[in-house]
Amino acid sequence: MPDFCAAYGCSNKRCLETRKRGITFHVFPKSGERRRQWETALRRKDFVASSRTMLCSEHFISKDFDRTGQTVRLRADVVPTVFNFPAHLQKSISKKKSATSRKSKDNPAVDLSQDGPQPDSVQTKKAATSRRSKDNLALDLSQDGPQPDQAKKPRTKATSTQPAAVAPKPVVFVDSCDHIPASGSRPLKVDHPYTLPPSSGGLKRKMVEAESRMAELGKKLCSATDRERRSTKYLKCMISELRQKNLVTDELEQKLELYSDLDLEFPGEESTEQYSTRQREFALTLHLHGPQAYKYLRDEMKLPLPHPHTHQRWLQSVDCGPGFNTHLLRVLEEKAKKDPDNYSRVCLMFDTMAIRRQMVYDNRTQSMRGFVDLGDGPDEETVASEALVFMVNGVTRHWKAPIAYFFTRTLTPSTQKVLIEHALVSLHEHGIQVVSLVMDGHASNVSMCSLLGCQLKMDGPLVTHFPHPSTNKHVYILMDPCHLLRLVQNMMQAYSVLSSPDGLIRWKFIALLHDVQQNEGLHAANEPNHKDVNFQSQKMKVSLAAQTLSRSVATALRFMKEAGYVDFTDCLSTVKFIEMIDRLIDIQNSRNPVGRSTKAPLSLENWEDTLTFFRQAKDYLQALATQDGTTICHTKRYLSVMGFLINIQTLTDMVPELLQVQKYVLTYHFSLDHLQLLFNSIRAYGGWNNNPNVVQFEATFRHLMVCCGVQPSDRGNVVSLDQTACLSSLDTAVTPIEDKEDTQCPFEDVSSVIADQSYITSGLGKLSENVIAYIAGWVVRKVMVKLDCDVCRNKIVSTAAPTTFERSYHLLHLRNKGGLVIPSEGVFKVVKAAERCLHQSTDVQLASHQINAAHLVLLVKAHVGAEDIFCLGNHMFESQYGIDNHHYRLISLLVSVFHKLRQHHIARLHTQQMLMGNIRKKAGKAVLFIGQ
């Protein structure tokens, strides 16, 4: 479509013909004041110019143009003035007249001579006389005395009423517009003794030349100013300056190249104009990826960039898309107003979830999806590979709510800092106080905390808090303890030998424990198996690290040393290290208000003891070093130790503040497990346990948040440990989870489930006998539910360790904290006989050709015979129908329960043997995402 001139009565259009005639076209300016001046100059009623409205060059004067370059441009502050308006649109020009001119018009000049009126000759004579008088009087004023020529001339005679008098020649001034008085007229007026040169033509010529020169210099100055303004008008010229000041990275520079032709004339704060789409994208990109450069352009260069609060408004989302979810924030605000004690203080946590790098076509939005999106629209140059999710968790009550997510590729610490500040400000505006910020122990997170104002390295005293951007209150930093446990396991296995104040810490003791238990076939009441010890392909799996560095492993190592195993002679330093880490993890994962010992919540009753342990742990961790003497805090794996030191310092400062407003503190509220459970729900929502793409993630997130919330899952890398419910954006009521009633048992107050053990044995040595005694207590707990005879119930338990198998009781003694069942001597003999019969009858290492329960019962009965091992006395011969008595009935129950337990473990062990070295399991993601 051709462009026409918008002026009244002008029909010029942009085409080849007008270009040949030298006519150029110019769009309306973008700034508000000049744009309004142009619109007013057109004198069109209710006229508003659009982005394509323009005027041709015929409506400007020649000095309005800058023709120094190849392109004809208008100078700054130029307004069109040349128009062909009709009469009713033209302005009436009123000519102002002085009082003298009006008087002269009313009283025209007359001749003062005595001759008759001769209009033509008189006027001609007056004009000539005036010119001659002007020249002569100018000569008289330039000299002091009379000149020779003038001395000969007759003097002017006085009138008849005034006598003639001889006097010096006065200095007179005669205006060129007045007439020279004739003889007999009144005398001339005396004025100042100065005059102009004889002729003003030379001065006028010089003045014209000076004005012309000044106009030429003014044009050059305007041209130079315009060139300078054009050089700083576009972002391309600013990038080099930002690069010289080290304010942009190579990655950010590549992102800004997309906006190199962007006009930097942003609307001012007082302007009513809106930011264009490209201006918004540029401002958000620079603010998120280069906040220092953004601050420099806004504060130093005085560019009218939008305020950070404007960015916060742009990043908000109302449809569960990328950005901050305004609906959930409003739900939190309403709950905080109704119940401030439970909803006004929260812990903010963030983490990333891997997503598939995949571009898909979204039928709902009819666009390509899969790109990086930070809430300001997709970046169609980069495909996203992870989702950054922000979640808040209640400090005093079990609830959580994801408030934002973003699709990213790689985020710099400065970008993370900006997003976190936006999250803190948004929560504050909705009445939510953020107590702490929880993250995993990653180096980029440490750099981000440094930008926020923390000091998390050993270069100086630890500062584990930063001021809130809105309230300046302390926001404390916490590292996820589960992630720290993984880092400790990786560090311990990588360095193999560590130096501590109590001696050398060796990873080999854990590996030796696994080998001994594998050979013996029974585990000393601990979890570690082949996957836990050989975890190189699953370094970041929490469950493996939790089983390796647990109190059960420390107890097993202590037992192996006290049992006389030579290979475990120097393992006490390793035992103390594991116990130290285990207690730190327990303190940072307290989730039961009535918990005891290390799992109890932090309160005023146990706070002094906790502080004492924190001081001991701090000194112990700072002294840890590698074999060459370098402290762990100064190695590349420093976060494995510094993370615990950071958490110790944070809890020391934060818990006393919280105890002033609440009775106790459950530290599990400050764990990233809540966020990991959300990731598990998203992965499992579609019927798979793999990472979704962008469209699947957004659809699942919308459905989970809006429709039903998130329910805890028992699958994935993290298992739910409490009943924390996720707030739904529609139904905000938290439904409590009903507890199932357990079967009646005399030991209901004690945990009836022991750790999953390995029980296959090739011989009954010291370890095997101790493990059998430990298993026998668990078998008794299961049999007690099935027994209905009170006499038999009393005979299968003991209040103390029987002296006949005291050496087999040592592991049970180490493990017992008051809740384990001590089996009687008869139960121990039955279980031991059953284990021996299993090995004598068949190879238990094979899953096939296993002995059944009935056959095993017969073998044990034959081995035990009629000996009264349960001390039943005459009660053992009592029977209901004379078929079986209480003695053989007890043997049958004990052997059947033990057989079932053994068969489950044999099946699991056989499955692990089959899957050992499986390539797809080891590289599952690589096989699943092959070719991406």
Side-chain angles (χ1 to χ4, degrees), residues 826-847:
V827 174
F828 174 74
K829 289 182 178 180
V830 170
V831 175
K832 184 177 180 180
E835 178 66 25
R836 188 168 294 169
C837 291
L838 282 175
H839 286 279
Q840 291 176 354
S841 302
T842 181
D843 184 4
V844 296
Q845 298 290 342
L846 299 177

Side-chain angles (χ1 to χ4, degrees), residues 466-514:
F466 63 92
H468 193 286
S470 298
T471 63
N472 286 329
K473 292 184 178 180
H474 288 172
V475 179
Y476 294 94
I477 297 295
L478 274 171
M479 299 292 179
D480 180 42
C482 296
H483 188 267
L484 296 179
L485 190 62
R486 293 179 289 185
L487 295 180
V488 170
Q489 183 193 37
N490 296 339
M491 178 268 295
M492 191 176 178
Q493 193 268 346
Y495 291 131
S496 183
V497 179
L498 299 176
S499 174
S500 72
D502 301 315
L504 296 180
I505 303 170
R506 301 180 185 273
W507 172 260
K508 72 173 186 178
F509 291 126
I510 299 177
L512 285 174
L513 177 63
H514 167 68

Side-chain angles (χ1 to χ4, degrees), residues 257-274:
E257 285 181 357
L258 301 174
Y259 309 96
S260 57
D261 59 339
L262 180 66
D263 190 350
L264 294 181
E265 293 184 358
F266 287 80
E269 296 182 357
E270 299 179 355
S271 176
T272 58
E273 295 187 23
Q274 299 294 329

Side-chain angles (χ1 to χ4, degrees), residues 572-738:
L572 289 182
S573 300
T574 306
V575 171
K576 183 174 181 180
F577 173 77
I578 296 176
E579 290 177 345
M580 180 74 69
I581 297 298
D582 181 77
R583 185 174 178 183
L584 283 172
I585 294 297
D586 286 345
I587 292 176
Q588 298 177 55
N589 275 282
S590 60
R591 58 184 180 275
N592 190 352
V594 295
R596 294 177 295 177
S597 185
T598 60
K599 298 181 183 297
L602 299 179
S603 61
L604 294 177
E605 288 77 10
N606 63 1
W607 181 239
E608 291 299 328
D609 296 336
T610 305
L611 282 180
T612 302
F613 170 73
F614 279 167
R615 286 191 287 267
Q616 296 174 357
K618 186 176 181 180
D619 297 337
Y620 182 86
L621 293 174
Q622 289 178 347
L624 290 178
T626 59
Q627 202 169 5
D628 60 358
T630 306
T631 57
I632 301 298
C633 296
H634 293 88
T635 62
K636 64 179 181 179
R637 298 182 182 270
Y638 69 98
L639 278 175
S640 58
V641 173
M642 284 300 303
F644 285 105
L645 295 177
I646 292 169
N647 288 357
I648 289 174
Q649 184 65 39
T650 292
L651 292 177
T652 303
D653 298 336
M654 181 182 68
V655 171
E657 296 181 5
L658 294 179
L659 291 179
Q660 294 178 1
V661 294
Q662 58 192 74
K663 185 177 180 180
Y664 55 82
V665 176
L666 295 175
T667 53
Y668 185 64
H669 290 163
F670 304 94
S671 173
L672 276 182
D673 285 0
H674 308 286
L675 193 53
Q676 293 295 333
L677 290 173
L678 172 65
F679 294 163
N680 292 347
S681 300
I682 293 175
R683 292 190 184 100
Y685 184 79
W688 60 82
N689 196 31
N690 297 317
N691 298 328
N693 57 33
V694 167
V695 176
Q696 293 168 344
F697 180 94
E698 185 172 338
T700 304
F701 188 89
R702 181 185 299 108
H703 190 273
L704 290 175
M705 293 300 100
V706 177
C707 297
C708 59
V710 174
Q711 299 296 331
S713 171
D714 57 354
R715 297 292 185 267
N717 191 28
V718 179
V719 180
S720 177
L721 298 180
D722 61 1
Q723 299 178 1
T724 302
C726 186
L727 293 183
S728 169
S729 59
L730 290 183
D731 184 10
T732 58
V734 179
T735 305
I737 301 176
E738 298 181 357

Side-chain angles (χ1 to χ4, degrees), residues 58-296:
E58 292 186 348
H59 305 286
F60 300 89
I61 59 179
S62 59
K63 68 177 182 180
D64 292 343
F65 296 97
D66 178 13
R67 304 180 185 273
T68 56
Q70 297 180 354
T71 304
V72 178
R73 296 183 176 87
L74 290 174
R75 301 186 185 278
D77 302 329
V78 168
V79 179
T81 56
V82 181
F83 296 101
N84 186 19
F85 292 123
H88 68 280
L89 292 179
Q90 292 182 359
K91 293 182 179 180
S92 58
I93 302 176
S94 60
K95 296 183 180 180
K96 296 182 179 180
K97 298 181 180 180
S98 61
T100 305
S101 60
R102 289 194 300 270
K103 184 177 179 180
S104 61
K105 184 177 180 181
D106 297 336
N107 302 316
V110 296
D111 191 358
L112 300 177
S113 62
Q114 296 178 359
D115 298 334
Q118 298 176 357
D120 296 337
S121 61
V122 170
Q123 295 296 333
T124 303
K125 185 176 180 180
K126 285 182 180 181
T129 306
S130 175
R131 287 193 296 270
R132 286 194 304 270
S133 301
K134 179 180 178 180
D135 295 339
N136 295 334
L137 289 176
L139 292 175
D140 294 341
L141 292 173
S142 62
Q143 299 176 1
D144 295 338
Q147 300 297 326
D149 296 337
Q150 290 183 345
K152 298 178 181 179
K153 293 182 180 181
R155 296 183 179 272
T156 305
K157 295 182 179 181
T159 57
S160 57
T161 58
Q162 296 178 352
V166 179
K169 182 178 180 180
V171 179
V172 296
F173 175 78
V174 182
D175 189 82
S176 58
C177 299
D178 298 333
H179 301 285
I180 300 296
S183 59
S185 64
R186 59 191 177 197
L188 296 175
K189 295 180 180 180
V190 179
D191 209 292
H192 300 287
Y194 60 83
T195 183
L196 294 174
S199 176
S200 61
L203 290 178
K204 185 176 181 180
R205 183 173 60 256
K206 291 181 180 180
M207 184 181 67
V208 171
E209 292 176 355
E211 290 179 350
S212 176
R213 178 63 177 168
M214 187 172 63
E216 184 179 356
L217 293 176
K219 291 180 181 180
K220 292 182 178 181
L221 178 61
C222 292
S223 300
T225 304
D226 291 343
R227 286 193 297 270
E228 183 180 0
R229 180 178 57 83
R230 289 193 300 270
S231 65
T232 59
K233 182 180 179 180
Y234 297 101
L235 178 65
K236 185 177 181 180
C237 306
M238 288 288 187
I239 295 178
S240 59
E241 183 176 354
L242 296 176
R243 192 190 307 112
Q244 292 176 359
K245 294 183 178 293
N246 295 325
L247 296 177
V248 292
T249 60
D250 295 338
E251 181 182 0
L252 178 58
E253 186 175 349
Q254 293 178 358
K255 293 180 179 294
L256 295 181
E257 285 181 357
L258 301 174
Y259 309 96
S260 57
D261 59 339
L262 180 66
D263 190 350
L264 294 181
E265 293 184 358
F266 287 80
E269 296 182 357
E270 299 179 355
S271 176
T272 58
E273 295 187 23
Q274 299 294 329
Y275 292 96
S276 64
T277 303
R278 293 200 68 204
Q279 288 175 342
R280 289 181 57 175
E281 293 177 356
F282 160 73
L284 282 171
T285 301
L286 184 61
H287 180 59
L288 292 175
H289 298 281
Q292 296 297 328
Y294 189 90
K295 184 178 180 181
Y296 174 78

